[in-house]
């Protein structure tokens, strides 16, 4: 889609689209719509701090100029010609934010190997290359080279041939201002070279002849450093013309692809004949031993191909496995056997050999993007040598400052994977071009022909938020109107920003145009708010923007921990209904469309449930629809409850009708509380505590889980328990639950929570949910929580036991069997051998819940020391220990938290009614009848055994 079509699709009037030719019109048009959509979405923003981040806003422009002047004064910015990812269509560097794809991709440096094409028996170059070895104007001789891009120049000693793609499109190109050399390569790579000084005119490849791969097959070339005087050009069908030059040197000793392809041509005369390859072009060439790898020998790739049974170049899985092993081990462990670096490790020899070849003129440097990069203008990017201002990221002292902060234990990333990524990026991020030729942004203060690129001017801007409301204020995005402090646009100079941000003295010479009292007000705001507590961004920006922000803060504030960003949270990308958002798929949703279709809170609910952290999130439109319905029902339920509690039975009836409930209006009791009341209160408190912890750690799916789903589940189980017991829910707990639910869900569904808050009468006097405090007053009673959870589990186990007995009877032919009673066998205390197991495990368990490998041996010794020990006891003890050890948080106390029999008897009515039984009997395991003697051996406190029966 064109930009005009996209603008039309998002609702821009057709008559206004031509105005977007002016880049500044974008800045004027979209921000007001963005604000409207975000306000409808319920985002809490101090809009006084909104600002435009280009030189259209002279206040912000002065801040960025201050930042870059300071970086330059600190020696962090340099100038020079550097390999840079470049958009030919845009005519300038293509930084990450200028790319449609390929964000984070950097220039990859290759060594371009020059393989000189040799003349035929008649002294002339063969075929379409004839005559290219003579300068067309001077007639002077010039070499014609097939050029191959390699990352392993040290392996050139092992060349046995060169490969091309038979149906690939190649060309012969003039690559020097004087026309003194000709390169044969793909047109794509020649275009790349033209931006790196390998063309008569910068950016314009000079093609002398169009060639196909077939035109090149059988050519004899002189391969630099090779042991053979001449090698031949052979076919390889797996060459990618989108990478490198389309010409590939062949080193079969250390490259399994090369060994397999050469072997195919040696073994298959028909294959040679198909491509016009004569037998001597392959049969005369054997593997050359150039590198010895410990454990793999002197011809690692060839030997592994033979031992693993690689039959041909089509055995791609085996070849890939061999390639990965030989490349890594060869580079880091291999030792050179030949050449000037014989005896040196490959890792050490590579740069030496590369320099020797470049100095000898048999190779030259060459760059390509690591992967395909497409600019937003729609062209494939190249690598160009450009004059650039660049930030010297990676410089040792500067990097170490950032590393100290990342590893300080203070800096929080919320995810170990994110922390590891910051460490990884710090290991490779280096010189970064911070200037471009044109575009929106701030001009380089000392070299105004350049504009600061968008990732570089967004690394300390968080500091600007602290004072934007004083400089600009409400409805003043571009700072063109006087702000609250009356400071003229552009009046903030270097000294003024030094005073505000760095705490330096006010200039005594009267050179500062801004009054000190105004700057002092800004300094107070900055020092109150800074450092930055939290920055939320996409995980793809760890590789640039976020790490660069750490670098810039470390430099500007000279490593002060109290000025470094305190935490960065990074999230994954959001898809819709399991697919990437795409206009072509019809699943592209704008915020405006989402608000209208699902309601703001429906969208927020589904987003919170879509995924947390750095995983790819999935916005499920069905969940959004369900969320809207569920929130409506809950809202009506709370209006019914609140009206009932207030004695307004008419309003309660209206709300009950809205729900479509078939049951009577809910009523409540008051007075003394039961155990189930206390258990419900403890569950609500526990959900609140877990939800709060999840919010604090940016785990919104967990916050939704505890703050809505589990809270609702606790309410439903409480209501169900009360119904089974034939009693109403307690009025105080109904009110407490609605209070807790509104608070817990407010960060995710603020509009719904606000309505509920008003419905329940704004408890605590807070007129808005946003003024309410998180309810810290009620902590979950751990003992009640444990006992109640256990009782629910016991009731479930009884029902499961009944169902199992019914199925067992049915298998025996008694389809009408039913069971209406059960006996629960319990123990009040652990048996002696169980105490021995628990005591031993308590002494062995580590802080992380793990046990040493010797745990079972230690347990055997402890159990054998128990009076009355026998083999059966040991078997039971080992089983008990194994089950206990599976839970790293299991209580290892030798005294039970509560007595099972007491808990059951206190809630016997609930157990009987929730199990739909006529009778439940509790018997101590020691008093079990003979028929259940074997069954009750497994009884321990907290784990009774159930025997189903009929009465």
């Amino acid at each position: 889609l064109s930009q005009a079509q996209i603008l039309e699709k998002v609702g821009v009037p057709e008559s206004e689209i031509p105005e977007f030719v002016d880049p500044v019109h974008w800045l004027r048009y979209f921000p007001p719509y963005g604000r409207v959509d975000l306000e409808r979405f319920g985002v809490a923003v101090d809009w006084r701090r909104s600002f435009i981040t280009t030189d259209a806003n002279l206040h912000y422009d002065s801040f960025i100029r201050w930042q870059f002047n300071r970086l330059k004064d600190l020696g962090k910015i340099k100038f020079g010609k550097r390999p840079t990812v470049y958009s030919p269509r845009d005519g300038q560097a293509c930084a990450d934010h200028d790319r449609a794809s390929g964000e984070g991709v950097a220039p990859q440096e290759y060594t371009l190997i020059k393989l000189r094409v040799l003349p035929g028996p008649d002294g002339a170059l063969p075929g379409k290359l004839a005559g290219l070895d003579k300068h067309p104007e001077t007639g002077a001789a010039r070499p014609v080279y097939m050029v191959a891009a390699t990352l392993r120049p040290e392996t050139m000693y092992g060349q046995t041939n060169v490969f091309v793609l038979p149906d690939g499109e190649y060309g012969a190109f003039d690559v020097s201002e004087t026309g003194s050399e000709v390169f044969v390569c793909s047109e794509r790579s020649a275009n790349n070279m033209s931006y790196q000084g390998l063309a008569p005119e910068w950016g314009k490849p000079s093609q002398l002849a169009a060639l196909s791969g077939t035109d090149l097959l059988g050519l004899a070339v002189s391969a630099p450093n090779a042991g053979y005087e001449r090698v031949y050009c052979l076919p390889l069908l797996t060459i990618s013309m989108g990478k490198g030059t389309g010409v590939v040197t062949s080193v079969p000793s250390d490259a399994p692809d090369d060994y397999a392809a050469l072997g195919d041509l040696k073994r298959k005369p028909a294959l040679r004949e198909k491509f016009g390859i004569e037998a001597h072009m392959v049969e005369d060439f054997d593997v050359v031993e150039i590198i010895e790898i410990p454990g793999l020998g002197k011809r690692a790739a060839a030997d592994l191909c033979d031992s693993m049974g690689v039959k041909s170049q089509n055995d791609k899985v085996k070849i890939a496995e061999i390639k990965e092993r030989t490349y890594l081990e060869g580079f880091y462990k291999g030792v050179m056997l030949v050449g000037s670096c014989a005896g040196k490790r490959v890792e050490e020899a590579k740069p030496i050999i590369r320099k020797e070849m470049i100095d000898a003129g048999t190779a030259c440097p060459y760059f390509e993007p690591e992967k395909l990069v497409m600019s937003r203008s729609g062209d494939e990017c190249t690598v160009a040598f450009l004059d650039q201002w660049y930030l010297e990221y990676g410089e040792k002292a500067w990097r170490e400052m950032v590393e100290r902060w990342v590893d300080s234990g203070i800096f929080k990333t919320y995810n170990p994977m994110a922390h590891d990524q910051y460490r990884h990026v710090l290991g490779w991020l280096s010189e970064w071009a911070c200037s471009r030729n044109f575009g929106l942004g701030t001009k380089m203060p000392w070299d105004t022909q350049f504009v600061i690129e968008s990732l570089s001017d967004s690394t300390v801007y968080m500091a600007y938020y602290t004072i934007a409301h004083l400089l600009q204020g409400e409805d003043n995005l571009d700072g063109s109107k006087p702000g609250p402090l009356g400071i003229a646009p552009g009046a903030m100079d270097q000294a003024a920003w030094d005073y505000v941000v760095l705490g330096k003295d006010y200039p005594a010479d009267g050179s500062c145009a801004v009054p000190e009292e105004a700057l002092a007000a800004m300094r107070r705001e900055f020092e109150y708010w800074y450092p930055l507590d939290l920055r939320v961004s996409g995980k793809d920006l760890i590789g640039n923007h976020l790490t660069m922000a750490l670098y810039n803060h470390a430099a500007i504030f000279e490593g002060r921990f109290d000025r470094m960003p305190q935490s960065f949270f990074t999230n994954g990308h959001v898809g819709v209904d399991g697919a990437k958002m795409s206009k072509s798929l019809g699943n592209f949703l704008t915020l405006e469309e989402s608000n209208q279709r699902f309601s703001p809170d429906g969208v927020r609910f589904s987003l919170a449930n879509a995924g947390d952290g750095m995983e790819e999130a999935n916005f499920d439109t069905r969940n959004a629809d369900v969320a809207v319905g569920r929130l409506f029902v809950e809202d009506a339920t709370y209006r019914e409850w609140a009206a009932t509690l207030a004695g307004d039975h008419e309003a309660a009836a209206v709300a009950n009708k809205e729900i479509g409930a078939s049951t009577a209006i809910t009523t409540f009791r008051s007075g003394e509380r039961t155990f189930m009341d206390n258990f419900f209160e403890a569950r609500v408190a526990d959900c609140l505590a877990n939800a709060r912890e999840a919010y604090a750690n940016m785990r919104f799916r967990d916050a939704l889980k505890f703050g809505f789903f589990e809270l609702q589940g606790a309410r439903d189980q409480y209501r169900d328990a009360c119904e089974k017991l034939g009693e109403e829910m307690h009025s105080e707990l109904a009110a407490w639950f609605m209070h807790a639910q509104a608070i817990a869900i407010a960060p995710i569904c603020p509009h719904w929570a606000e309505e509920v808050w008003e419905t329940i009468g704004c408890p605590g006097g807070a007129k808005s949910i946003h003024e309410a405090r998180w309810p810290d007053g009620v902590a979950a009673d751990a003992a009640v929580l444990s006992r109640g959870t256990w009782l629910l589990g016991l009731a479930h186990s009884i029902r499961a036991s009944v169902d199992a007995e019914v199925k067992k009877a049915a298998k025996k032919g008694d389809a009408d069997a039913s069971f209406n009673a059960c006996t629960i066998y319990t123990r009040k205390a652990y048996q002696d051998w169980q105490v021995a197991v628990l005591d031993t495990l308590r002494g062995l368990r580590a802080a992380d819940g793990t046990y040493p490998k010797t745990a079972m041996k230690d347990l055997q010794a402890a159990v054998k020391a128990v009076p009355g020990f026998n083999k059966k006891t040991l078997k039971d003890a080992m089983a008990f220990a194994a089950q206990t050890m599976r839970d790293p948080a299991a209580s290892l106390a030798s005294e039970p938290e509560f007595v099972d029999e007491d808990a059951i008897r206190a809630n016997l009515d609930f157990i009987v009614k929730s199990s739909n039984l006529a009778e439940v009997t509790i018997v101590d395991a020691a008093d079990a009848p003979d028929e259940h003697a074997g069954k009750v051996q497994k009884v321990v406190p907290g784990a009774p055994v159930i025997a189903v029966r009929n009465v």
Side-chain angles (χ1 to χ4, degrees):
L1 294 176
S2 67
Q3 287 186 340
Q5 290 171 318
I6 293 172
L7 289 170
E8 186 176 1
K9 281 185 173 292
V10 299
V12 176
E14 185 178 354
S15 60
E16 191 163 356
I17 289 176
E19 296 185 44
F20 285 89
V21 171
D22 177 8
V24 177
H25 188 67
W26 296 74
L27 306 181
R28 292 191 294 262
Y29 184 85
F30 283 107
Y33 289 104
R35 176 170 177 172
V36 168
D37 291 342
L38 289 171
E39 286 178 337
R40 286 176 180 166
F41 193 56
V43 177
V45 173
D46 181 353
W47 296 105
R48 299 172 304 156
R49 301 178 191 268
S50 303
F51 50 88
I52 285 172
T53 59
T54 75
D55 57 1
N57 178 355
L58 294 181
H59 288 303
Y60 183 77
D61 186 62
S62 71
F63 176 74
I64 298 302
R65 284 189 283 109
W66 165 81
Q67 174 190 347
F68 272 75
N69 278 324
R70 177 152 175 79
L71 290 170
K72 189 170 185 291
D73 291 344
L74 291 166
K76 304 303 182 185
I77 299 180
K78 308 289 184 183
F79 185 79
K81 197 174 287 291
R82 301 178 61 259
T84 306
V85 176
Y86 178 83
S87 166
R89 182 171 294 173
D90 291 343
Q92 67 172 348
C94 188
D96 276 6
H97 279 183
D98 302 319
R99 301 175 187 179
S101 64
E103 188 169 342
V105 174
Q108 171 76 64
E109 184 173 14
Y110 292 87
T111 303
L112 207 59
I113 306 299
K114 299 179 181 181
L115 302 110
R116 185 165 186 168
V117 180
L118 299 175
D122 60 357
L125 294 185
K128 292 184 179 181
L129 297 181
L132 292 181
D133 55 348
K134 295 284 192 299
H135 194 286
E137 296 177 3
T138 66
R142 62 181 179 182
V144 176
Y145 297 108
M146 295 183 69
V147 288
T150 182
L151 297 172
R152 298 291 302 274
E154 75 283 0
T155 66
M156 293 303 101
Y157 296 104
Q159 293 176 90
T160 59
N161 59 277
V162 61
F163 287 122
V164 294
L165 183 67
D167 60 357
E169 296 181 0
Y170 296 84
F173 297 89
D174 186 349
V175 294
S176 68
E177 291 183 6
T178 60
S180 59
E181 285 185 324
V182 175
F183 283 3
V184 175
C185 58
S186 65
E187 183 178 350
R188 176 191 154 279
S189 60
N191 183 58
N192 225 24
M193 293 175 203
S194 72
Y195 293 98
Q196 298 171 31
L198 292 173
E201 187 177 351
W202 194 85
K204 295 182 178 180
S206 175
Q207 185 167 351
L208 305 176
L211 305 166
S212 70
T214 303
D215 295 328
L216 304 174
L217 292 176
L219 287 180
V221 298
S222 174
N225 286 1
Y228 293 102
E229 184 177 340
R230 64 174 56 207
V231 297
Y232 292 92
C233 187
L234 305 178
L236 182 64
L237 303 181
T238 56
I239 290 176
S240 168
M241 299 300 286
K243 192 75 174 171
T245 63
V247 178
V248 179
T249 58
S250 173
V251 183
S253 60
D254 291 81
D257 313 72
D258 300 347
Y259 180 75
L262 183 59
D264 285 349
L265 288 165
K266 284 186 175 185
R267 291 188 300 271
K268 301 174 181 178
L271 182 62
R272 294 199 301 269
E273 184 179 349
K274 177 181 178 181
F275 293 107
I277 302 301
E278 298 174 17
H280 73 90
M281 295 178 180
V282 294
E283 291 177 348
D284 296 346
F285 298 90
D286 295 320
V287 170
V288 180
E289 297 175 355
I290 60 171
I291 296 170
E292 183 171 11
I293 305 174
L296 296 179
K298 298 178 181 180
R299 30 180 288 153
D303 289 346
L304 283 172
C305 282
D306 292 342
S307 64
M308 291 178 64
V310 173
K311 302 299 183 185
S312 76
Q313 58 191 299
N314 295 320
D315 288 345
K316 295 179 181 178
V317 175
K318 291 180 181 178
I319 287 173
E321 182 182 342
I322 295 168
K323 187 174 183 178
E324 182 176 3
R325 185 176 177 188
T326 54
Y327 189 96
L328 291 175
E329 295 196 29
F331 186 74
Y332 292 108
K333 298 179 182 178
V335 176
M336 297 298 301
L337 298 173
V338 296
S340 61
C341 291
K344 292 184 185 296
R345 289 174 53 233
V346 170
E347 187 177 10
E348 179 186 359
K350 175 180 174 176
I352 298 173
I353 295 170
R354 181 175 191 269
K355 184 177 185 304
E356 288 175 351
M357 295 185 73
I358 292 173
D359 290 346
T362 58
C364 62
Y366 171 66
F367 292 83
E368 284 187 0
E370 294 167 318
K371 298 177 182 176
L372 178 67
V373 176
M374 298 296 295
S375 75
R376 293 191 184 276
S377 300
D379 65 330
E380 181 179 344
C381 291
T382 65
V383 171
F385 290 162
L386 301 178
D387 285 330
Q388 287 278 296
W389 289 102
Y390 59 91
L391 285 151
E392 206 172 18
Y393 298 136
E395 184 269 323
K396 186 173 183 294
W398 196 7
R399 186 189 72 244
E400 288 175 349
M401 272 201 295
V402 181
E403 287 174 337
R404 281 195 295 273
W405 175 244
V406 169
D407 293 335
S408 65
I410 304 171
F411 178 60
K412 189 173 182 179
T413 62
Y414 301 92
N415 189 320
M417 288 175 58
H419 180 270
D420 291 345
Q421 284 198 31
Y422 285 108
R423 291 290 306 170
H424 175 67
V425 173
L426 287 169
W428 62 258
L429 184 62
S430 59
E431 299 170 349
W432 181 271
C434 58
S435 62
R436 55 184 175 182
N437 297 87
F438 59 87
L440 296 174
T442 293
K443 290 181 171 59
M444 200 66 74
W446 58 87
D447 192 353
T448 55
Q449 67 176 311
F450 291 107
V451 177
I452 299 169
E453 64 92 24
S454 60
L455 278 171
S456 298
D457 71 1
S458 60
T459 50
V460 191
Y461 79 98
M462 310 85 170
Y464 191 82
Y465 283 116
T466 66
I467 47 80
H469 64 302
L470 298 179
L471 270 178
Q472 298 181 217
E474 187 82 25
D475 297 325
N476 191 18
L477 284 175
D478 62 2
S480 58
K481 296 181 291 188
L485 291 180
I487 298 173
M492 292 289 291
D493 60 10
Q494 204 74 11
W497 285 113
D498 282 348
Y499 181 96
V500 172
V501 179
L502 301 180
K504 293 188 177 182
D505 293 337
Y506 188 76
D509 58 6
S511 60
C512 186
V514 183
E516 184 174 5
E517 54 269 28
L519 295 180
M522 293 167 66
R523 179 193 282 182
R524 284 193 296 273
E525 288 287 318
F526 172 77
E527 292 183 345
Y528 175 82
W529 290 107
Y530 235 63
L532 170 73
D533 293 303
L534 170 66
R535 172 88 171 109
V536 179
S537 193
K539 65 179 181 180
D540 51 311
L541 295 184
I542 292 176
N544 44 54
H545 165 67
L546 295 173
T547 304
M548 292 173 188
L550 297 177
Y551 262 111
N552 279 261
H553 277 80
I556 287 171
F557 297 109
E558 298 179 338
R560 285 178 56 181
F561 277 16
D562 64 342
R563 287 291 181 262
M564 294 294 289
Q566 301 297 291
S567 71
F568 283 161
F569 176 82
T570 45
N571 51 262
H573 303 110
V574 180
V576 174
D577 293 334
K580 181 179 178 181
M581 273 205 295
S582 168
K583 290 187 181 296
S584 62
L585 294 175
N587 67 346
F588 188 88
L589 290 171
T590 65
L591 186 56
E592 179 186 28
E593 292 168 337
S594 301
N595 283 342
Q596 291 173 349
R597 181 174 168 185
F598 306 109
S599 83
D601 281 3
V603 177
R604 295 171 67 110
F605 188 102
S606 193
L607 282 173
N609 201 34
D612 272 332
M614 295 173 67
E615 65 187 57
E616 301 302 306
N618 178 44
F619 180 85
D620 191 323
T621 54
R622 293 166 299 181
N623 286 346
D625 285 327
V626 170
V628 172
R630 185 161 183 175
L631 291 173
F632 171 79
V633 170
E634 287 299 315
D635 175 61
T637 299
Y638 301 160
R639 283 189 282 113
E640 178 195 334
W641 286 17
T644 301
L645 291 170
D648 188 345
H649 301 294
E650 184 177 342
V654 171
N656 182 269
K657 188 175 181 180
E658 283 183 29
I659 303 170
S662 57
T663 57
I665 296 171
T666 304
T667 55
F668 302 95
R669 61 183 163 83
S670 58
E672 187 177 349
R673 295 190 185 185
T674 65
F675 175 79
M676 282 299 163
D677 293 335
N678 294 334
F679 176 48
F680 176 53
E681 182 179 55
R683 288 193 70 186
V684 170
D686 187 54
C687 286
L688 284 173
N690 287 325
R692 183 171 189 169
E693 192 270 337
Y695 281 128
N697 288 287
M698 304 293 285
R699 299 196 314 271
F700 289 94
R701 183 159 58 184
D702 282 349
L704 186 66
K705 170 189 171 184
F706 295 115
F708 186 77
F709 292 117
E710 292 205 4
L711 204 52
Q712 297 278 307
R715 186 272 314 272
D716 293 345
Q717 284 187 333
Y718 173 58
R719 182 165 52 189
D720 182 61
C722 288
E723 287 177 2
K724 283 183 168 61
L725 291 168
E727 60 189 29
E728 299 156 324
M729 293 183 286
H730 200 289
S731 58
E732 292 176 358
L733 294 176
W736 163 235
F737 168 77
M738 291 188 289
H739 179 173
Q741 180 62 93
I743 290 281
I745 200 68
I748 295 172
C749 299
H751 307 88
W752 182 85
E754 184 70 30
E755 185 165 333
V756 170
W757 193 253
E758 292 177 7
T759 295
I760 62 178
C762 304
K767 294 181 179 179
S768 167
I769 189 83
H770 305 294
E771 298 172 5
R773 306 289 296 178
W774 191 274
D776 291 322
V778 179
D781 186 319
V784 170
L785 199 60
S786 174
R787 189 176 306 178
T789 303
W790 182 81
L791 284 168
L792 289 178
L794 178 62
H796 175 78
S797 296
I798 293 171
R799 290 193 296 272
S801 296
V802 170
D803 291 342
E805 290 298 326
V806 169
K807 289 179 181 178
K808 192 184 298 183
K811 284 184 178 180
K812 294 179 179 179
D814 188 0
D816 297 325
S818 63
F819 300 90
N820 63 358
C822 77
T823 300
I824 303 174
Y825 293 104
T826 66
R827 287 191 193 277
K828 295 181 179 179
Y830 291 106
Q831 299 178 72
D832 291 343
W833 60 267
Q834 292 168 336
V835 171
V837 168
L838 292 170
D839 289 345
T840 304
L841 290 179
R842 196 163 56 248
L844 293 175
R845 186 166 67 182
D848 62 357
T850 60
Y851 296 88
K853 293 180 179 179
T854 60
M856 285 302 184
K857 186 176 180 180
D858 295 337
L859 283 166
Q860 286 184 17
V863 174
K864 287 178 180 179
V866 175
F869 161 80
N870 56 49
K871 289 184 178 180
K872 178 68 169 60
T873 304
L874 183 61
K875 182 179 178 181
D876 290 343
M878 293 301 101
F880 174 62
Q883 182 177 357
T884 304
M885 291 166 67
R886 288 192 195 103
D887 180 3
S891 171
L892 300 179
S894 53
E895 292 288 335
E897 293 181 47
F898 54 86
V899 176
D900 297 2
E901 181 180 349
D902 294 347
I904 296 169
R905 291 195 186 284
N907 296 277
L908 190 58
D909 193 26
F910 168 75
I911 294 294
V912 170
K913 291 179 179 177
S914 64
S915 305
N916 294 319
L917 297 178
E919 179 181 289
V920 173
T921 306
I922 306 108
V923 176
D924 191 285
D927 300 327
D930 292 342
E931 64 183 292
H932 291 153
K935 179 179 278 194
V936 301
Q937 283 296 318
K938 297 180 180 179
V939 176
V940 296
V945 166
I946 299 157
V948 177
R949 54 191 173 82
N950 258 323
V951 292

